Structure formats: C-alpha cells, structure tokens
Amino acid sequence: MLKTIFANWNFMRALRLILGVYIIIQSFQSRQYIMIIPGVVFVIMALFSVGCCGNNGCAVPIKKEENE
C-alpha cells in the first residue's frame, strides 16, 4: 500500500491532491460541511492512484483479431 501512495506521481495526481485539500479547508472555513465529501474523494483518488484523470487509466485495450 505504501508503494502505491509514494510511487508514480504525475501532474494530475498532485493536482487532485492539492484540489482535494483546498476543498476540505474551504468547506471548513465557509461552514459548508457537505463539501468535505468531494474533497475527501479527491484526496483518496490522489493518494491511492485510482481513477482515470488524464493518464489513460480507463482506456479499453484494443483486441487484435487474427485473420485466417
């Protein structure tokens, strides 16, 4: 699990982490506590490298067929 958290950081992953932390801080400051949920989602996506935000993670592999 620690390998997943500390490996393969790219710009989009760092941006999701920064955005998630910013959303959480702003939701506390403005007392809109329901907005903590999207902030936590962004932070979890960044820390555990889930989702397909800009890194082709959700692309469907092309199946090559052999012509006989």
Side-chain angles (χ1 to χ4, degrees), residues 13-53:
R13 193 170 168 192
L15 183 65
R16 282 184 284 192
L17 180 66
I18 292 167
L19 185 63
V21 170
Y22 179 76
I23 290 171
I24 292 170
I25 290 170
Q26 286 299 314
S27 65
F28 276 114
Q29 288 180 347
S30 63
R31 294 188 177 117
Q32 294 180 355
Y33 299 112
I34 195 72
M35 291 303 293
I36 293 173
I37 295 169
V40 169
V41 168
F42 275 102
V43 169
I44 289 173
M45 284 174 58
L47 287 179
F48 296 112
S49 189
V50 294
C52 54
C53 187

Side-chain angles (χ1 to χ4, degrees), residues 63-68:
K63 186 176 181 180
K64 294 182 180 180
E65 296 182 19
E66 293 182 22
N67 293 331
E68 293 181 19

